[in-house]
C-alpha cells in the first residue's frame, strides 16, 4: 500500500499458535491491551504474552470467559454468574462475587476497574479491597435486552460512560444504538450509531484540554453515516464546550449494508480509526472531523480491537481465522496524500503543523506570503506557529520586523512572538530577538516569566544579552545552556562561592582553584571561606590541601575563617587529622575565643586531638570543666577540682561516673577537705554512686572529714533502700549527733536491717535527752529489762510510763518486775499499773508479782479491772489469792465468784485452810473431784465429802470412794479402809438422811449396790425407811431392804416383813421359798 497514509500488517495468527477456530470469536477471545491476548477453550484458557515473543501459556481452567487487566497480570474469569479475579504473579485470588443476573458483556475500563453489563444494568467492580460490584446505571430502553452489547467506554475523568450495541433492523439491516450516561447528573442520552470513544485533545487557543466524545451516527431511517465530535464535561465557567458540525462518512456503494464494529482513538496523533464489519477502515482527523483515508484491509470481520498508546497503532483480531492485524498512521505519506488526493490544503497545513509532518512546506510558504501580503499579521503569526519548524526561520523574523506598526497597535514582531509563546517554546534565534527589545524597554520580569514557563531557548548568547541587566537571570540561562565557565563567573560575581565546587563537580568542569582562592583571600575572606568549604567537600575527596589552606588563612590572621574552614574540613573526624584537630582547638583557646573551643568540644564531633595538651590549655583559660574532662591522672583532676565551686554541680556529679572507685573516693575526700562549700555536691555524688563506691568507704570518707551533716544527708537518701546494717547504724548515729531524734526514732522503729545490740549499746552510751529511739530498739528486740534499768537509773521515769502506756502495754509485767528488782517506789508502780489498766496481761503480771511476794500490791489494780466488768480468770484468781491471804471473807468469794479457776485457787488454799480448798474444788463442777477426794481424806472432811457425793449423783465418782483399794498393803491399806468406813458412816448417818431428793437417794442406793456393800446398804435403808423420812413408804426401797436382808442377813427378814407394809409380798414370798434361799 505504497503512498497511502496508513501502515498495515499481519503481526500474528492465533490459529498458528494453537488456538482453535471455535474459540476465536466475540466473547471467547479478548485483547484489552498490547500485552495479552486471552482465549477461552473448552477445557483451558490460553494466554498469549505479546511482550514476550507471543509465548503461549495454557492453564487448565474451565470458564465461560476470561479477560486480562490492561496493565497488571490480573486475570478475570467468569463462569455462570460467578466472577473471580486472580493475580497471576502472586498466584492468589484477589476477590470473587456471585452476580444476581448473567453477564452479557464485560471489559476493563482501566487498570483498577472491570465493567460488567447484564441484560438490564451496568456495574463497576474495583480490584481494590473486598467490595462487591457497584451498580452505575440501568440500560436505556433503546438499548434493551434484545440488543447485543459490543462496546463500553468510560471517559478519562470517569464522569461519562458510553454503552454500545447492535440489533436486527428492517430489511436485514443492523441497527446501532448507544447510551451516553452522565455519572454526576445521573441522566442518559440515547444515540443512534454503532461505535464511539472518548479522548482528550489540545485545542489551539485554549489552555485546558478538551475531553471529547467521537462517535459514529446512522439513524435507522437514514442511509447516511456521520461522524460527531463533541466535548463532554467541561466546566461552564471556562467557556463553551467544543463541538464540530457532523461530517459525512464516505461509505462505498458496495458497502451499503456495512456497519462499524469499533472506533479506536490514536491518542498520540489525535486520529480516530473506524473499523467496519466488512473489513473497511476509516481514518479521521479528530480536530476537524474530516475523513483522511478509507480502505478495505480484510474480507473478514474484526471482532476485537485495542490501541497501543506508545505508537498510536490499532490492533484487531479477525473472527475464526485469528489474524492479528496492526494498523497505524504512516506520517510520511499523510500530508502528500491530503494535498494530492484529497486536495485539502487547509487540512494539510493544520495536520502537518500539529503533527510536525513533512510535505506541506510549499503550502506554508505560499500561504504565509499571501497573509503577509494581505496585511493579516495575526493570521500569518498563527500560521507560522502551526507550521512546526517550516517557517520558524530568521527570514520570517525579519519579515515581521520589517512590517510597520499600525497606530495604537503593538508592533507586528511582538504579535508574532506573542503567538509563538501561546503555542509553545521559542527557538534560539527567536529567543534572542525577543530578548533584545524587551530588555531595552526595561521589562526583565517578562523574561523571568518566560524562562520560568520554559518558553525561551537558553543559549550562551541569550545569557550574554541578559548578563548586564540581571546576573541571576543570566546565571539561570547559563545553567540551562550548560555554559559552565560563564555560570561560574556568575557565581563569583554574585558572591555564591559555596556553589562553585558542587556545580563544577556535578558537571565535570575543571579549573584552577588555588589561584582563585588566593585572590579571594585578600579581597573577600568570606568568599574564600565559602569556596574553601566547597573545595574540601568536593565529591571524590578534597581538591585542596587542608593544612596548607588553614595556614594560609592563619597567615592572614583570619582565626574565625580558619576555624570555620577546619570545622568543615575535619567533620568526618579522621585519625589522620589529629594534628589539625588539636590545632583547631589551640588557636581558639590561645587566640581569645575559648567559647568557640568550648562549643566545638561540646559538639563532640572531634575525638582524635591531643587531649592532655588541650586539657592544659583549657585549665589555663579557666575552663575547669573542660579541663577535667580531658584529664585522666588523679593529681591533675584534684588540681582542677580545687575550683569545683565554679563548676556546674550536675557536671561534677556526672563526672564521678567516669572515674574508677579509688579515684572517686580520693577526689571526694579531697573536695571535702576544702570546706563546707563542696559538701552539698559531695552528698549528691555519694547518693548517686552509693552502690559503686560502697557505703562503708563513703561513711569512712565523711567521718574522716568530720562531715557529720553531709553523712546524715547522704545516708538519709539511701537508708530506705539499703540492706547494709552499717548504713542504718550510721544514719541513726548521725541523726542523733545532729539532734534529728525524730529520724533516729523512725529508723529504730521501722528498720529490720541494723544490729540491735550495736544500736542499743550506742544509744545507751549516748545518753540522749530523748530516749525514744532506745525505747523502740529495746521494745522490738526484747531488751526491756535493760531499757527499764536505763530509764530508772537516769531518772527518766516519765518515759517508763510512756513506754508501757503508749508503746508496748503488753510488756508492762516485765517493766514492773524490773522495777520491783530495782526497788522502785510502790506508788510509782501502782500509778503505772493503773495507767496501763486492762491493757496489761494479768496472768504474767500476777506471776511476776507472786514470785517477788508483791501480789497484795496488785489489789487496787485488780479490783479496778473487776469493776470494769473483766471476766478474765487470771484477774479473779489473783484477787482470790489476795482475799484468802488477807482473810477477807474468803469463803464468800469462793462461793459467789463465778470467774476464778478452782484448779488455781484450790491448791493455793490447801496450805492455808483445807476447808477453803474444799469449797474451791467443789466449785469445779466435777473437774476437781480427784483433788476434792484427796483433800477430804487427808484432812478428815468426810461429812462434807459425803454431802458432795450425794448431791453430785455420779456413779463413777461413788465408785472411786466406795470401791475397796486392793493395791495397798499394810498400814496404808488399813488407813485407806478406815477412811472409806468413815465416809460410808457419814453417808449413812448424815448425808443421805438429810436429802429430800429421790434422785439423790436412788443414786446413792445404786452406788452402794454397785460397790457390793449389802450390810451397809441394809443400815442405810433402815435409816431411811424405819427411822422415818420422806421415803419410808417407798415400795421399791422396802422391797430392796427385804431382798437385801434375804441375801445378806436372813435373821432380819421376818422383822422387816412385820414392820413394813408397802412391799410386793407375793414376789418376795416366791423368792424366799426358792431353792437358793
Amino acid at each position: 500500500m505504497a503512498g497511502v497514509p496508513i501502515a498495515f500488517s499481519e503481526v500474528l495468527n492465533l490459529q498458528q499458535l494453537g488456538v482453535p477456530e471455535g474459540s476465536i470469536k466475540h466473547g471467547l477471545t479478548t485483547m484489552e491491551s498490547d500485552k495479552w491476548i486471552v482465549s477461552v477453550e473448552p477445557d483451558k484458557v490460553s494466554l498469549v504474552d505479546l511482550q514476550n515473543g507471543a509465548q503461549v501459556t495454557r492453564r487448565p481452567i474451565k470458564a465461560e470467559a476470561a479477560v486480562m487487566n490492561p496493565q497488571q497480570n490480573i486475570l478475570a474469569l467468569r463462569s455462570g454468574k460467578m466472577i473471580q479475579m486472580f493475580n497471576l504473579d502472586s498466584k492468589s485470588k484477589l476477590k470473587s462475587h456471585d452476580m444476581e443476573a448473567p453477564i452479557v458483556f464485560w471489559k476493563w475500563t482501566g487498570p483498577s476497574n472491570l465493567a460488567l453489563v447484564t441484560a438490564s444494568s451496568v456495574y463497576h467492580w474495583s480490584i481494590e479491597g473486598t467490595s462487591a460490584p457497584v451498580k452505575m446505571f440501568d440500560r436505556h430502553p433503546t438499548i434493551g435486552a434484545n440488543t447485543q452489547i459490543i462496546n463500553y467506554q468510560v471517559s478519562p475523568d470517569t464522569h461519562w460512560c458510553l454503552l454500545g450495541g447492535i440489533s436486527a433492523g428492517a430489511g436485514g439491516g443492523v441497527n446501532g444504538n448507544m447510551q451516553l450516561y452522565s455519572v454526576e447528573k445521573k441522566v442518559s442520552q440515547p444515540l443512534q450509531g454503532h461505535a464511539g470513544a472518548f479522548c482528550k485533545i489540545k485545542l489551539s487557543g485554549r489552555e485546558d484540554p478538551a475531553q471529547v466524545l467521537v462517535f459514529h451516527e446512522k439513524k435507522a431511517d437514514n442511509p447516511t453515516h456521520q461522524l460527531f465530535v463533541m466535548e463532554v464535561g467541561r466546566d461552564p465557567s471556562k467557556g463553551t464546550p467544543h463541538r464540530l458540525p457532523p461530517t459525512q462518512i464516505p461509505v462505498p456503494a458496495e458497502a451499503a449494508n456495512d456497519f462499524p464494529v469499533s472506533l479506536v482513538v490514536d491518542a498520540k496523533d489525535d486520529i480516530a480509526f473506524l473499523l467496519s464489519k466488512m473489513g473497511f477502515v476509516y481514518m479521521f482527523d479528530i480536530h476537524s472531523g474530516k475523513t483522511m483515508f478509507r480502505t478495505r484491509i480484510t474480507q473478514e470481520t474484526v471482532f476485537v480491537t485495542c490501541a497501543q498508546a506508545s505508537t498510536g497503532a490499532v490492533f484487531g483480531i479477525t473472527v475464526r481465522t485469528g489474524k492479528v492485524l496492526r494498523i497505524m498512521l504512516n506520517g510520511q505519506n499523510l500530508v502528500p496524500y491530503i494535498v494530492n488526493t484529497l486536495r485539502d490544503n487547509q487540512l494539510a497545513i493544520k495536520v502537518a503543523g500539529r503533527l510536525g509532518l513533512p510535505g506541506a512546506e510549499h503550502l506554508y510558504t505560499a500561504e504565509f506570503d499571501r497573509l503577509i501580503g494581505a496585511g493579516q499579521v495575526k493570521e500569518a503569526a498563527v500560521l507560522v506557529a502551526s507550521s512546526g519548524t517550516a517557517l520558524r526561520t530568521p527570514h520570517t523574523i525579519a519579515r515581521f520586523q520589517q512590517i510597520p506598526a499600525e497606530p495604537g497597535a503593538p508592533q507586528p514582531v511582538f504579535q508574532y512572538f506573542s503567538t509563538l509563546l501561546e503555542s509553545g517554546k521559542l527557538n534560539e534565534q527567536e529567543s534572542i530577538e525577543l530578548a533584545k527589545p524587551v530588555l531595552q524597554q526595561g521589562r526583565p520580569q517578562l523574561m523571568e516569566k518566560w524562562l520560568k514557563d520554559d518558553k525561551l531557548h537558553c543559549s550562551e548568547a541569550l545569557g550574554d544579552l541578559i548578563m548586564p541587566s540581571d546576573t541571576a537571570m543570566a546565571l539561570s540561562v547559563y545553567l540551562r545552556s550548560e555554559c559552565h565557565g560563564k555560570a561560574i563567573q556568575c557565581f563569583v560575581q554574585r558572591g555564591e562561592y559555596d556553589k562553585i565546587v558542587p556545580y563544577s563537580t556535578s558537571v565535570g568542569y575543571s579549573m584552577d582553584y588555588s589561584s582563585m582562592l588566593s585572590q579571594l583571600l585578600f579581597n573577600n575572606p568570606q568568599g574564600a571561606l565559602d569556596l574553601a568549604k566547597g573545595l574540601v567537600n568536593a565529591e571524590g575527596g578534597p581538591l585542596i590541601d587542608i593544612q596548607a589552606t588553614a595556614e594560609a588563612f592563619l597567615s592572614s590572621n583570619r582565626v574565625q575563617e580558619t576555624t570555620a574552614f577546619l570545622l568543615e574540613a575535619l567533620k568526618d573526624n579522621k585519625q589522620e587529622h589529629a594534628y589539625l584537630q588539636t590545632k583547631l582547638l589551640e588557636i581558639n583557646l590561645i587566640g581569645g575565643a575559648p567559647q568557640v573551643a568550648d562549643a566545638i568540644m561540646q559538639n563532640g564531633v572531634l575525638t582524635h586531638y591531643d587531649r592532655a595538651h588541650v586539657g592544659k590549655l583549657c585549665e589555663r583559660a579557666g575552663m575547669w570543666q573542660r579541663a577535667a574532662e580531658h584529664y585522666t591522672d588523679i593529681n591533675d583532676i584534684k588540681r582542677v577540682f580545687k575550683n569545683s565551686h565554679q563548676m556546674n554541680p550536675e557536671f561534677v556529679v556526672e563526672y564521678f561516673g567516669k572515674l574508677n572507685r579509688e579515684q572517686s573516693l580520693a577526689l571526694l575526700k579531697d573536695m571535702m577537705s576544702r570546706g563546707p562549700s563542696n559538701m552539698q555536691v559531695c552528698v549528691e555524688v555519694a547518693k548517686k554512686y552509693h552502690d559503686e563506691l560502697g557505703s562503708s568507704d563513703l561513711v569512712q570518707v565523711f567521718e574522716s572529714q568530720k562531715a557529720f551533716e553531709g553523712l546524715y544527708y547522704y545516708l538519709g537518701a539511701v537508708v530506705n533502700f539499703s540492706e547494709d546494717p552499717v548504713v542504718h547504724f550510721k544514719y541513726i548515729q548521725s541523726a542523733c549527733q545532729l539532734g534529728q531524734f525524730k529520724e533516729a526514732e523512725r529508723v529504730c522503729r521501722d528498720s529490720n536491717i541494723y544490729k540491735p545490740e550495736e544500736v542499743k549499746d550506742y544509744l545507751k552510751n549516748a545518753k540522749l535527752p530523748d530516749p525514744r529511739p532506745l525505747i523502740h530498739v529495746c521494745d522490738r528486740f526484747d531488751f526491756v529489762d535493760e531499757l527499764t534499768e536505763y530509764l530508772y537509773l537516769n531518772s527518766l521515769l516519765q518515759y517508763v510510763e510512756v513506754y508501757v502506756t503508749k508503746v508496748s502495754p503488753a510488756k508492762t509485767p516485765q517493766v514492773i518486775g524490773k522495777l520491783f528488782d530495782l526497788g522502785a517506789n510502790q506508788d510509782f508502780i501502782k500509778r503505772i499499773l493503773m495507767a496501763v489498766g486492762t491493757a496489761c496481761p494479768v496472768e504474767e503480771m500476777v506471776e511476776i508479782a507472786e514470785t517477788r511476794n508483791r501480789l497484795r500490791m496488785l489489789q487496787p489494780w485488780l479490783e479496778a479491772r473487776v469493776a470494769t466488768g473483766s471476766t478474765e480468770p487470771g484477774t479473779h484468781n489473783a484477787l482470790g489469792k489476795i482475799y484468802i491471804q488477807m482473810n477477807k471473807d474468803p469463803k464468800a468469794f469462793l462461793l459467789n465468784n463465778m470467774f476464778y479457776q478452782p484448779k488455781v485457787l484450790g491448791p493455793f488454799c490447801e496450805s492455808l485452810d483445807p476447808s477453803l480448798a474444799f469449797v474451791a474444788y467443789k466449785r469445779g463442777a466435777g473437774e476437781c473431784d480427784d483433788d476434792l477426794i484427796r483433800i477430804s481424806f487427808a484432812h478428815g472432811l468426810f461429812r462434807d465429802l459425803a454431802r458432795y457425793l450425794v448431791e453430785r449423783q455420779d456413779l463413777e465418782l461413788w465408785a472411786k470412794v466406795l470401791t475397796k483399794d486392793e493395791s495397798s498393803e499394810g498400814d496404808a491399806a488399813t488407813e485407806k479402809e478406815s477412811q472409806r468406813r468413815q465416809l460410808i458412816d457419814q453417808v449413812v448417818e448424815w448425808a443421805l438422811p438429810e436429802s429430800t431428793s429421790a434422785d439423790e437417794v436412788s443414786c446413792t442406793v445404786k452406788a452402794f449396790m454397785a460397790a457390793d456393800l449389802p450390810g451397809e446398804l441394809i443400815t442405810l435403808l433402815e435409816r431411811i425407811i424405819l427411822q422415818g423420812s420422806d421415803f419410808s413408804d417407798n415400795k421399791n426401797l422396802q422391797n430392796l431392804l427385804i431382798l437385801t436382808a434375804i441375801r445378806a442377813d436372813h435373821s432380819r427378814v421376818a422383822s422387816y416383813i412385820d414392820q413394813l407394809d408397802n412391799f410386793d409380798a407375793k414376789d418376795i414370798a416366791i423368792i424366799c421359798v426358792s431353792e437358793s434361799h
Side-chain angles (χ1 to χ4, degrees):
M1 300 179 68
V4 299
I6 67 167
F8 164 74
S9 62
E10 180 181 337
V11 296
L12 202 63
N13 190 293
L14 296 182
Q15 286 196 22
Q16 294 176 1
L17 295 178
V19 179
E21 177 182 332
S23 296
I24 307 174
K25 63 179 181 179
H26 181 75
L28 294 181
T29 294
T30 57
M31 184 179 184
E32 296 291 296
S33 69
D34 60 350
K35 292 184 177 183
W36 294 91
I37 295 174
V38 180
S39 291
V40 175
E41 301 176 24
D43 57 352
K44 57 181 172 289
V45 174
S46 297
L47 308 176
V48 182
D49 187 352
L50 301 178
Q51 305 289 312
N52 193 19
Q55 182 176 343
V56 181
T57 302
R58 290 180 169 85
R59 296 181 179 270
I61 301 173
K62 289 187 177 182
E64 295 178 3
V67 60
M68 183 73 78
N69 185 284
Q71 291 188 11
Q72 307 177 64
N73 292 339
I74 295 177
L75 181 66
L77 298 172
R78 188 178 86 232
S79 181
K81 297 179 183 179
M82 174 60 70
I83 51 175
Q84 297 174 304
M85 290 186 189
F86 292 90
N87 188 315
L88 301 184
D89 294 332
S90 63
K91 299 180 181 179
S92 61
K93 182 166 75 171
L94 297 182
K95 57 199 307 187
S96 63
H97 183 73
D98 193 1
M99 296 290 291
E100 294 182 358
I103 297 173
V104 298
F105 180 83
W106 62 345
K107 179 180 177 64
W108 288 97
T109 64
S112 62
N113 183 66
L114 179 64
L116 311 169
V117 183
T118 67
S120 60
S121 306
V122 176
Y123 297 83
H124 283 185
W125 195 24
S126 172
I127 67 172
E128 305 295 336
T130 59
S131 60
V134 177
K135 181 179 177 180
M136 299 301 294
F137 58 92
D138 290 324
R139 288 170 58 169
H140 194 269
T142 59
I143 191 168
N146 294 327
T147 301
Q148 179 188 357
I149 304 300
I150 61 172
N151 190 26
Y152 181 71
Q153 301 282 333
V154 176
S155 64
D157 64 1
T158 70
H159 293 163
W160 296 84
C161 305
L162 182 69
L163 181 65
I166 56 177
S167 59
V174 176
N175 294 335
N177 285 285
M178 294 182 291
Q179 178 182 355
L180 179 63
Y181 178 76
S182 170
V183 177
E184 290 181 327
K185 297 180 180 179
K186 301 187 184 307
V187 295
S188 294
Q189 177 183 349
L191 303 173
Q192 293 190 48
H194 293 78
F198 296 100
C199 67
K200 280 191 175 183
I201 61 175
K202 180 69 175 72
L203 297 175
S204 177
R206 260 182 59 167
E207 291 291 333
D208 58 315
Q211 176 179 262
V212 297
L213 171 62
V214 182
F215 67 94
H216 158 270
E217 181 191 79
K218 181 186 179 300
K219 296 182 179 180
D221 56 354
N222 190 336
T224 304
H225 295 257
Q226 290 183 307
L227 184 75
F228 279 76
V229 178
M230 66 179 188
E231 185 175 6
V232 291
R234 189 184 192 196
D235 185 351
S237 63
K238 294 183 178 180
T240 305
H242 172 70
R243 186 183 182 102
L244 293 178
T247 57
Q248 185 172 344
I249 300 174
V251 177
E254 68 271 21
N257 292 326
D258 195 11
F259 60 91
V261 292
S262 67
L263 189 148
V264 185
V265 173
D266 169 10
K268 175 174 169 289
D269 300 315
D270 293 349
I271 291 175
F273 291 94
L274 183 70
L275 284 82
S276 73
K277 185 178 187 306
M278 296 177 64
F280 284 92
V281 60
Y282 300 82
M283 185 171 68
F284 306 102
D285 172 34
I286 295 177
H287 286 260
S288 63
K290 293 182 178 180
T291 304
M292 294 189 294
F293 184 68
R294 180 197 71 198
T295 187
R296 190 172 191 177
I297 59 173
T298 178
Q299 299 295 321
E300 298 156 322
T301 300
V302 176
F303 70 94
V304 64
T305 56
C306 74
Q308 186 177 43
S310 59
T311 64
V314 175
F315 289 97
I317 303 176
T318 59
V319 68
R320 290 187 298 277
T321 58
K323 298 176 183 177
V324 181
L325 308 179
R326 185 173 187 266
I327 310 159
M328 67 178 295
L329 172 69
N330 184 346
Q332 296 297 318
N333 295 342
L334 178 59
V335 174
Y337 181 82
I338 296 174
V339 172
N340 298 324
T341 303
L342 302 182
R343 299 186 181 280
D344 190 340
N345 290 347
Q346 289 299 319
L347 178 61
I349 289 173
K350 291 180 180 179
V351 171
R354 190 180 82 243
L355 302 182
L357 300 177
E361 291 80 2
H362 63 289
L363 296 177
Y364 281 121
T365 302
E367 182 66 13
F368 178 72
D369 290 340
R370 185 186 70 80
L371 293 173
I372 290 293
Q376 294 178 295
V377 176
K378 178 64 175 176
E379 290 76 2
V382 171
L383 177 66
V384 175
S386 63
S387 69
T389 60
L391 295 178
R392 296 180 64 171
T393 63
H395 176 72
T396 301
I397 299 173
R399 290 285 298 273
F400 279 101
Q401 288 174 335
Q402 294 167 4
I403 301 173
E406 295 289 335
Q411 293 183 3
V413 71
F414 279 136
Q415 293 186 51
Y416 169 61
F417 286 135
S418 177
T419 303
L420 293 181
L421 289 171
E422 289 176 2
S423 62
K425 182 177 180 179
L426 303 188
N427 60 32
E428 180 178 354
Q429 190 62 38
E430 291 167 347
S431 301
I432 294 172
E433 293 301 327
L434 174 60
K436 290 177 182 178
V438 170
L439 293 173
Q440 288 175 358
Q441 295 174 13
R443 302 171 68 186
Q445 66 275 10
L446 290 176
M447 297 292 296
E448 185 176 355
K449 179 182 182 303
W450 293 330
L451 284 171
K452 182 179 179 180
D453 296 341
D454 196 26
K455 293 291 187 177
L456 302 180
H457 179 87
C458 294
S459 62
E460 183 176 357
L462 181 61
D464 293 342
L465 191 63
I466 299 173
M467 185 69 176
S469 303
D470 192 327
T471 55
M473 193 186 306
L475 175 60
S476 175
V477 173
Y478 289 140
L479 291 175
R480 297 187 193 186
S481 60
E482 299 184 356
C483 299
H484 308 311
K486 292 290 182 70
I488 291 174
Q489 289 179 13
C490 277
F491 285 133
V492 173
Q493 188 169 342
R494 290 171 55 80
E496 296 175 339
Y497 305 101
D498 57 324
K499 297 181 180 179
I500 294 175
V501 176
Y503 175 72
S504 300
T505 305
S506 65
V507 299
Y509 185 73
S510 61
M511 59 181 295
D512 184 5
Y513 295 112
S514 299
S515 59
M516 180 182 293
L517 195 60
S518 299
Q519 290 178 353
L520 287 173
L521 189 57
F522 294 100
N523 301 326
N524 188 346
Q526 183 59 44
L529 173 61
D530 294 339
L531 179 58
K533 286 182 178 180
L535 292 170
V536 82
N537 285 324
E539 188 175 345
L543 300 177
I544 53 174
D545 183 270
I546 298 175
Q547 185 171 342
T549 304
E551 290 174 353
F553 276 107
L554 276 178
S555 64
S556 301
N557 198 28
R558 294 290 179 180
V559 175
Q560 184 176 348
E561 286 80 3
T562 306
T563 300
F565 167 69
L566 286 176
L567 280 175
E568 187 67 25
L570 305 179
K571 64 183 179 182
D572 292 335
N573 192 28
K574 296 180 180 178
Q575 177 66 45
E576 61 263 28
H577 294 156
Y579 169 77
L580 290 174
Q581 290 185 5
T582 305
K583 192 70 176 177
L584 170 61
L585 296 172
E586 182 181 273
I587 62 176
N588 284 280
L589 288 168
I590 298 176
Q595 69 280 3
V596 176
D598 183 65
I600 294 172
M601 290 183 282
Q602 177 67 30
N603 195 24
V605 174
L606 308 181
T607 61
H608 299 295
Y609 57 85
D610 187 340
R611 298 185 67 83
H613 177 64
V614 171
K616 292 178 181 178
L617 294 177
C618 290
E619 187 176 357
R620 192 182 307 167
M623 297 169 59
W624 313 116
Q625 293 185 186
R626 292 295 177 205
E629 288 177 340
H630 290 77
Y631 285 141
T632 56
D633 185 84
I634 188 60
N635 294 320
D636 293 331
I637 296 171
K638 286 182 179 179
R639 185 179 65 253
V640 173
F641 266 77
K642 291 179 182 179
N643 303 282
S644 59
H645 59 283
Q646 298 182 35
M647 297 181 184
N648 187 321
E650 293 180 0
F651 167 80
V652 175
V653 174
E654 293 298 326
Y655 184 80
F656 273 82
K658 304 175 183 178
L659 304 178
N660 60 38
R661 187 172 180 274
E662 290 73 19
Q663 289 177 328
S664 296
L665 292 171
L667 181 58
L668 201 60
K669 188 174 182 179
D670 188 71
M671 290 176 64
M672 288 187 192
S673 68
R674 303 190 186 283
S677 60
N678 289 326
M679 190 53 61
Q680 184 175 354
V681 72
C682 290
V683 170
E684 294 301 319
V685 170
K687 286 159 57 175
K688 182 164 186 175
Y689 302 106
H690 165 75
D691 294 333
E692 292 82 355
L693 302 180
S695 56
S696 298
D697 288 332
L698 285 172
V699 168
Q700 185 177 357
V701 169
F702 278 99
E703 289 184 337
S704 67
Q705 303 302 316
K706 294 183 172 50
F708 299 113
E709 185 176 1
L711 178 62
Y712 170 73
Y713 287 114
Y714 149 59
L715 293 175
V718 301
V719 68
N720 293 333
F721 310 102
S722 174
E723 296 186 1
D724 186 351
V726 174
V727 170
H728 289 251
F729 171 67
K730 289 297 181 180
Y731 182 64
I732 294 170
Q733 188 180 58
S734 60
C736 293
Q737 289 171 338
L738 296 177
Q740 299 291 336
F741 302 121
K742 288 288 186 184
E743 270 300 292
E745 180 185 0
R746 180 185 69 82
V747 178
C748 289
R749 182 184 65 242
D750 299 337
S751 172
N752 296 314
I753 307 300
Y754 60 80
K755 296 178 180 178
E757 285 280 355
E758 181 181 37
V759 175
K760 177 203 66 174
D761 293 342
Y762 166 74
L763 293 174
K764 286 176 63 178
N765 294 331
K767 295 188 182 299
L768 304 177
D770 185 346
R772 279 177 287 191
L774 177 63
I775 290 174
H776 286 293
V777 173
C778 293
D779 175 63
R780 293 181 62 201
F781 300 100
D782 204 23
F783 301 132
V784 178
D785 287 351
E786 291 184 65
L787 171 65
T788 306
E789 183 178 5
Y790 173 83
L791 296 176
Y792 182 77
L793 295 179
N794 288 279
S795 302
L796 298 171
L797 299 181
Q798 72 272 24
Y799 285 102
V800 175
E801 187 171 352
V802 168
Y803 173 63
V804 296
T805 57
K806 303 293 185 183
V807 179
S808 189
K811 294 183 179 178
T812 303
Q814 291 177 261
V815 174
I816 292 180
K818 188 63 179 177
L819 290 175
F820 282 151
D821 298 340
L822 294 171
N825 183 279
Q826 289 193 13
D827 292 337
F828 173 66
I829 295 175
K830 289 179 180 179
R831 189 175 77 243
I832 289 177
L833 268 175
M834 296 304 291
V836 176
T838 58
C840 175
V842 65
E843 294 185 2
E844 187 179 353
M845 186 67 250
V846 170
E847 181 183 357
I848 287 175
E850 276 189 303
T851 57
R852 290 166 175 77
N853 200 24
R854 299 291 186 91
L855 185 60
R856 290 183 63 180
M857 197 185 73
L858 303 183
Q859 182 180 351
W861 174 66
L862 293 170
E863 289 176 342
R865 290 174 69 96
V866 172
T868 62
S870 172
T871 60
E872 293 175 306
T875 300
H876 294 268
N877 290 341
L879 200 57
K881 290 179 181 180
I882 294 172
Y883 289 162
I884 292 168
Q885 284 180 334
M886 295 174 62
N887 197 26
K888 186 179 178 180
D889 199 5
K891 188 171 183 180
F893 177 85
L894 294 173
L895 290 173
N896 299 324
N897 190 288
M898 305 294 292
F899 305 111
Y900 72 87
Q901 292 174 308
K903 281 192 174 184
V904 175
L905 288 186
F908 180 78
C909 293
E910 285 187 23
S911 60
L912 298 176
D913 186 345
S915 64
L916 293 178
F918 184 90
V919 174
Y921 286 142
K922 185 177 178 181
R923 282 282 287 113
E927 67 175 0
C928 301
D929 286 349
D930 291 341
D931 291 321
L932 187 144
I933 294 170
R934 175 181 54 76
I935 195 173
S936 297
F937 281 11
H939 296 282
L941 303 176
F942 298 113
R943 180 173 295 181
D944 293 332
L945 178 59
R947 290 194 183 103
Y948 177 73
L949 290 170
V950 171
E951 292 172 0
R952 281 273 287 136
Q953 302 179 47
D954 187 338
L955 293 177
E956 291 183 1
L957 182 60
W958 274 111
K960 289 181 181 180
V961 298
L962 295 181
T963 304
K964 188 175 182 179
D965 188 0
E966 302 293 342
S967 62
S968 301
E969 298 179 355
D971 294 340
T974 303
E975 182 181 359
K976 287 187 178 182
E977 181 61 23
S978 172
Q979 292 172 343
R980 188 171 76 95
R981 296 309 310 178
Q982 293 182 61
L983 175 62
I984 293 172
D985 292 343
Q986 291 298 320
V987 172
V988 172
E989 296 296 329
W990 297 101
L992 194 62
E994 292 177 353
S995 175
T996 59
S997 170
D999 292 334
E1000 291 178 352
V1001 173
S1002 173
C1003 182
T1004 303
V1005 170
K1006 290 178 181 178
F1008 272 73
M1009 292 174 63
D1012 194 22
L1013 298 172
E1016 290 81 357
L1017 180 59
I1018 290 172
T1019 305
L1020 176 65
L1021 291 173
E1022 285 181 347
R1023 179 80 172 161
I1024 296 172
I1025 298 172
L1026 300 180
Q1027 295 184 11
S1029 72
D1030 293 342
F1031 306 102
S1032 297
D1033 295 330
N1034 186 286
K1035 179 184 289 188
N1036 291 331
L1037 291 178
Q1038 289 185 12
N1039 287 336
L1040 180 62
L1041 176 59
I1042 296 172
L1043 291 175
T1044 304
I1046 291 172
R1047 183 167 64 87
D1049 189 356
H1050 298 115
S1051 62
R1052 297 189 182 189
V1053 174
S1055 175
Y1056 290 158
I1057 292 173
D1058 293 336
Q1059 296 179 55
L1060 302 177
D1061 57 5
N1062 189 22
F1063 58 90
D1064 295 319
K1066 182 177 180 179
D1067 294 334
I1068 290 175
I1070 293 173
I1071 293 173
C1072 289
V1073 297
S1074 65
E1075 293 182 1
S1076 59
H1077 298 289

